[in-house]
Amino acid sequence: MSSNTIETKRPYEAVVLIHPDATLDEQKELFRRNKATIGKFKGSVNSLETWGKRNLANPIGKLRKAIYFHTTFEVDPQAISELERTMRINDKVLRFLHMRLDERVTLSKHMEDFKRGLQESIQREKEREAKIQARKSAAAAARAAAFEG
């Protein structure tokens, strides 16, 4: 960077979907590289979490599952294009999304809000599953009653 360039660190979050067959070493190597890139741009990683292997909403090729990761970090915006370039050429990375966060809110507050939203989403999903199960049970009971009658 030239001496007259002002360094600006901005907060980001990213979600990365990795091939379900990726080894633990391949996963760690990807995030080691990302952390090195962020460090090269004088940034820092705030959090990195794995959500494990989950079903995809829509299949990617023939894949129905992926390993999900969520991360938050601060870095100069120029680093994002380099992070995305390296992920595009990594055949284990299925999808990725970087989002710039509101600079007026701390990364820890973003994480609190994010986790609260995640819990609410999980709760809604459980309630929806319970309703579906109840409908299936009611339908099965109605069929059984009709069959007997």
Side-chain angles (χ1 to χ4, degrees), residues 2-64:
S2 62
S3 57
N4 62 358
T5 303
I6 298 171
E7 288 184 23
T8 52
K9 280 202 242 177
R10 296 219 163 46
Y12 291 91
E13 76 176 327
V15 175
V16 182
L17 306 185
I18 297 180
H19 195 287
D21 297 339
T23 66
L24 194 55
D25 285 342
E26 288 170 327
Q27 295 170 42
K28 286 180 179 179
E29 180 57 27
L30 170 70
F31 290 104
R32 260 195 300 273
R33 279 197 199 127
N34 285 358
K35 187 175 181 179
T37 299
I38 290 167
K40 192 170 76 176
F41 284 87
K42 306 203 177 4
S44 59
V45 176
N46 179 55
S47 71
L48 173 61
E49 297 178 348
T50 177
W51 298 339
K53 202 178 283 190
R54 294 178 173 225
N55 290 324
L56 294 165
N58 298 301
I60 299 173
K62 294 184 182 201
L63 299 174
R64 300 200 169 280

Side-chain angles (χ1 to χ4, degrees), residues 25-131:
D25 285 342
E26 288 170 327
Q27 295 170 42
K28 286 180 179 179
E29 180 57 27
L30 170 70
F31 290 104
R32 260 195 300 273
R33 279 197 199 127
N34 285 358
K35 187 175 181 179
T37 299
I38 290 167
K40 192 170 76 176
F41 284 87
K42 306 203 177 4
S44 59
V45 176
N46 179 55
S47 71
L48 173 61
E49 297 178 348
T50 177
W51 298 339
K53 202 178 283 190
R54 294 178 173 225
N55 290 324
L56 294 165
N58 298 301
I60 299 173
K62 294 184 182 201
L63 299 174
R64 300 200 169 280
K65 289 184 179 280
I67 304 168
Y68 283 63
F69 288 91
H70 178 264
T71 183
T72 57
F73 54 95
E74 285 185 312
V75 73
D76 185 294
Q78 294 174 343
I80 299 302
S81 58
E82 178 60 16
L83 286 168
E84 292 182 351
R85 184 191 71 76
T86 58
M87 283 200 261
R88 259 186 227 103
I89 60 176
N90 185 328
D91 59 351
K92 293 295 179 185
V93 176
L94 300 175
R95 296 282 188 276
F96 58 86
L97 177 66
H98 291 96
M99 292 161 289
R100 184 169 158 191
L101 300 172
D102 188 340
E103 294 169 47
R104 298 166 294 186
V105 180
T106 64
L107 281 176
S108 56
K109 177 76 172 109
H110 276 294
M111 285 303 293
E112 279 176 36
D113 294 346
F114 176 76
K115 286 185 176 181
R116 187 177 327 105
L118 206 54
Q119 287 303 321
E120 290 168 2
S121 172
I122 290 168
Q123 187 59 39
R124 281 193 306 272
E125 182 66 25
K126 284 180 181 174
E127 290 168 5
R128 189 166 49 242
E129 287 294 321
K131 285 179 185 173

